[in-house]
mmCIF file of all heavy atoms in Angstrom:
data_model
loop_
_atom_site.group_PDB
_atom_site.id
_atom_site.type_symbol
_atom_site.label_atom_id
_atom_site.label_comp_id
_atom_site.label_asym_id
_atom_site.label_seq_id
_atom_site.Cartn_x
_atom_site.Cartn_y
_atom_site.Cartn_z
ATOM 1 N N ASN A 1419 1.128 -16.944 -23.523
ATOM 2 C CA ASN A 1419 0.205 -17.773 -24.240
ATOM 3 C C ASN A 1419 0.648 -19.182 -23.925
ATOM 4 O O ASN A 1419 1.802 -19.634 -24.156
ATOM 5 C CB ASN A 1419 0.290 -17.497 -25.716
ATOM 6 C CG ASN A 1419 -0.804 -18.259 -26.529
ATOM 7 O OD1 ASN A 1419 -1.446 -19.152 -26.112
ATOM 8 N ND2 ASN A 1419 -1.071 -17.819 -27.711
ATOM 9 N N VAL A 1420 -0.264 -20.028 -23.397
ATOM 10 C CA VAL A 1420 0.112 -21.360 -23.062
ATOM 11 C C VAL A 1420 -0.434 -22.423 -24.154
ATOM 12 O O VAL A 1420 -0.436 -23.526 -24.001
ATOM 13 C CB VAL A 1420 -0.448 -21.885 -21.644
ATOM 14 C CG1 VAL A 1420 0.244 -21.069 -20.568
ATOM 15 C CG2 VAL A 1420 -1.928 -21.697 -21.546
ATOM 16 N N GLY A 1421 -0.907 -21.724 -25.167
ATOM 17 C CA GLY A 1421 -1.471 -22.597 -26.444
ATOM 18 C C GLY A 1421 -2.929 -22.331 -26.716
ATOM 19 O O GLY A 1421 -3.667 -22.155 -25.573
ATOM 20 N N GLY A 1422 -3.307 -22.242 -27.893
ATOM 21 C CA GLY A 1422 -4.751 -22.051 -28.252
ATOM 22 C C GLY A 1422 -5.196 -20.738 -27.758
ATOM 23 O O GLY A 1422 -6.436 -20.619 -27.636
ATOM 24 N N GLY A 1423 -4.336 -19.709 -27.584
ATOM 25 C CA GLY A 1423 -4.784 -18.395 -27.191
ATOM 26 C C GLY A 1423 -5.054 -18.315 -25.727
ATOM 27 O O GLY A 1423 -5.545 -17.283 -25.310
ATOM 28 N N ILE A 1424 -4.894 -19.433 -24.965
ATOM 29 C CA ILE A 1424 -5.155 -19.402 -23.526
ATOM 30 C C ILE A 1424 -3.856 -18.775 -22.852
ATOM 31 O O ILE A 1424 -2.748 -19.206 -23.146
ATOM 32 C CB ILE A 1424 -5.472 -20.738 -23.046
ATOM 33 C CG1 ILE A 1424 -6.700 -21.357 -23.697
ATOM 34 C CG2 ILE A 1424 -5.607 -20.791 -21.463
ATOM 35 C CD1 ILE A 1424 -7.940 -20.455 -23.357
ATOM 36 N N ARG A 1425 -4.120 -17.883 -21.919
ATOM 37 C CA ARG A 1425 -2.937 -17.219 -21.198
ATOM 38 C C ARG A 1425 -2.837 -17.717 -19.828
ATOM 39 O O ARG A 1425 -3.812 -18.225 -19.079
ATOM 40 C CB ARG A 1425 -3.292 -15.732 -21.182
ATOM 41 C CG ARG A 1425 -3.413 -15.220 -22.551
ATOM 42 C CD ARG A 1425 -2.177 -14.778 -23.158
ATOM 43 N NE ARG A 1425 -2.169 -14.425 -24.585
ATOM 44 C CZ ARG A 1425 -1.266 -13.799 -25.290
ATOM 45 N NH1 ARG A 1425 -0.100 -13.482 -24.556
ATOM 46 N NH2 ARG A 1425 -1.336 -13.655 -26.451
ATOM 47 N N THR A 1426 -1.565 -17.557 -19.224
ATOM 48 C CA THR A 1426 -1.417 -17.981 -17.781
ATOM 49 C C THR A 1426 -2.407 -17.250 -16.849
ATOM 50 O O THR A 1426 -2.736 -17.716 -15.811
ATOM 51 C CB THR A 1426 0.116 -17.738 -17.402
ATOM 52 O OG1 THR A 1426 0.339 -16.348 -17.630
ATOM 53 C CG2 THR A 1426 0.956 -18.711 -18.135
ATOM 54 N N TYR A 1427 -2.690 -15.885 -17.142
ATOM 55 C CA TYR A 1427 -3.684 -15.157 -16.502
ATOM 56 C C TYR A 1427 -4.124 -14.066 -17.418
ATOM 57 O O TYR A 1427 -3.308 -13.734 -18.324
ATOM 58 C CB TYR A 1427 -3.177 -14.584 -15.168
ATOM 59 C CG TYR A 1427 -2.179 -13.515 -15.343
ATOM 60 C CD1 TYR A 1427 -2.529 -12.209 -15.504
ATOM 61 C CD2 TYR A 1427 -0.772 -13.754 -15.337
ATOM 62 C CE1 TYR A 1427 -1.508 -11.164 -15.766
ATOM 63 C CE2 TYR A 1427 0.198 -12.860 -15.506
ATOM 64 C CZ TYR A 1427 -0.183 -11.537 -15.691
ATOM 65 O OH TYR A 1427 0.762 -10.535 -15.924
ATOM 66 N N VAL A 1428 -5.274 -13.400 -17.216
ATOM 67 C CA VAL A 1428 -5.686 -12.317 -18.095
ATOM 68 C C VAL A 1428 -6.354 -11.322 -17.063
ATOM 69 O O VAL A 1428 -7.534 -11.538 -16.586
ATOM 70 C CB VAL A 1428 -6.754 -12.541 -19.129
ATOM 71 C CG1 VAL A 1428 -6.989 -11.275 -19.853
ATOM 72 C CG2 VAL A 1428 -5.976 -13.664 -20.132
ATOM 73 N N ASP A 1429 -5.679 -10.348 -16.616
ATOM 74 C CA ASP A 1429 -6.226 -9.279 -15.641
ATOM 75 C C ASP A 1429 -7.495 -8.777 -16.320
ATOM 76 O O ASP A 1429 -7.552 -8.327 -17.492
ATOM 77 C CB ASP A 1429 -5.338 -8.148 -15.402
ATOM 78 C CG ASP A 1429 -4.097 -8.499 -14.606
ATOM 79 O OD1 ASP A 1429 -4.148 -9.559 -13.759
ATOM 80 O OD2 ASP A 1429 -3.013 -7.869 -14.785
ATOM 81 N N GLN A 1430 -8.653 -8.692 -15.583
ATOM 82 C CA GLN A 1430 -9.927 -8.208 -16.053
ATOM 83 C C GLN A 1430 -10.529 -7.349 -14.911
ATOM 84 O O GLN A 1430 -10.689 -7.811 -13.796
ATOM 85 C CB GLN A 1430 -10.832 -9.285 -16.458
ATOM 86 C CG GLN A 1430 -12.226 -8.686 -16.990
ATOM 87 C CD GLN A 1430 -13.140 -9.748 -17.433
ATOM 88 O OE1 GLN A 1430 -13.251 -9.884 -18.632
ATOM 89 N NE2 GLN A 1430 -13.767 -10.368 -16.496
ATOM 90 N N ILE A 1431 -10.928 -6.119 -15.302
ATOM 91 C CA ILE A 1431 -11.537 -5.152 -14.354
ATOM 92 C C ILE A 1431 -12.940 -4.995 -14.834
ATOM 93 O O ILE A 1431 -13.203 -4.694 -15.994
ATOM 94 C CB ILE A 1431 -10.867 -3.809 -14.226
ATOM 95 C CG1 ILE A 1431 -9.331 -3.867 -14.212
ATOM 96 C CG2 ILE A 1431 -11.407 -3.003 -13.065
ATOM 97 C CD1 ILE A 1431 -8.761 -4.606 -13.023
ATOM 98 N N SER A 1432 -13.908 -5.373 -14.009
ATOM 99 C CA SER A 1432 -15.402 -5.124 -14.293
ATOM 100 C C SER A 1432 -16.065 -4.410 -13.211
ATOM 101 O O SER A 1432 -15.490 -3.885 -12.210
ATOM 102 C CB SER A 1432 -15.984 -6.600 -14.463
ATOM 103 O OG SER A 1432 -15.848 -7.275 -13.289
ATOM 104 N N THR A 1433 -17.457 -4.223 -13.322
ATOM 105 C CA THR A 1433 -18.213 -3.490 -12.338
ATOM 106 C C THR A 1433 -17.603 -2.103 -12.113
ATOM 107 O O THR A 1433 -17.457 -1.649 -10.968
ATOM 108 C CB THR A 1433 -18.464 -4.254 -11.002
ATOM 109 O OG1 THR A 1433 -18.405 -5.572 -11.243
ATOM 110 C CG2 THR A 1433 -19.654 -3.805 -10.316
ATOM 111 N N LEU A 1434 -17.270 -1.461 -13.167
ATOM 112 C CA LEU A 1434 -16.611 -0.101 -13.077
ATOM 113 C C LEU A 1434 -17.643 0.897 -12.947
ATOM 114 O O LEU A 1434 -18.095 1.457 -13.937
ATOM 115 C CB LEU A 1434 -15.692 0.118 -14.269
ATOM 116 C CG LEU A 1434 -14.365 -0.603 -14.224
ATOM 117 C CD1 LEU A 1434 -13.782 -0.867 -15.611
ATOM 118 C CD2 LEU A 1434 -13.273 0.244 -13.402
ATOM 119 N N THR A 1435 -18.182 1.210 -11.683
ATOM 120 C CA THR A 1435 -19.276 2.084 -11.550
ATOM 121 C C THR A 1435 -19.063 3.000 -10.338
ATOM 122 O O THR A 1435 -18.260 2.670 -9.467
ATOM 123 C CB THR A 1435 -20.658 1.342 -11.383
ATOM 124 O OG1 THR A 1435 -20.519 0.418 -10.200
ATOM 125 C CG2 THR A 1435 -21.066 0.489 -12.473
ATOM 126 N N ALA A 1436 -19.799 3.996 -10.258
ATOM 127 C CA ALA A 1436 -19.897 4.893 -9.054
ATOM 128 C C ALA A 1436 -21.307 5.355 -8.871
ATOM 129 O O ALA A 1436 -22.080 5.218 -9.862
ATOM 130 C CB ALA A 1436 -19.002 6.204 -9.305
ATOM 131 N N THR A 1437 -21.588 5.775 -7.667
ATOM 132 C CA THR A 1437 -22.985 6.029 -7.341
ATOM 133 C C THR A 1437 -23.076 7.240 -6.350
ATOM 134 O O THR A 1437 -22.123 7.495 -5.528
ATOM 135 C CB THR A 1437 -23.740 4.870 -6.790
ATOM 136 O OG1 THR A 1437 -25.025 5.217 -6.418
ATOM 137 C CG2 THR A 1437 -23.097 4.347 -5.486
ATOM 138 N N ASP A 1438 -24.189 7.979 -6.373
ATOM 139 C CA ASP A 1438 -24.492 8.989 -5.477
ATOM 140 C C ASP A 1438 -25.474 8.388 -4.326
ATOM 141 O O ASP A 1438 -26.043 9.101 -3.508
ATOM 142 C CB ASP A 1438 -25.040 10.164 -6.005
ATOM 143 C CG ASP A 1438 -26.355 9.898 -6.748
ATOM 144 O OD1 ASP A 1438 -26.908 8.786 -6.750
ATOM 145 O OD2 ASP A 1438 -26.905 10.878 -7.417
#
Side-chain angles (χ1 to χ4, degrees):
N1419 190 341
V1420 294
I1424 300 298
R1425 301 277 167 162
T1426 55
Y1427 68 86
V1428 181
D1429 292 332
Q1430 177 179 260
I1431 315 297
S1432 59
T1433 328
L1434 282 154
T1435 59
T1437 178
D1438 60 3

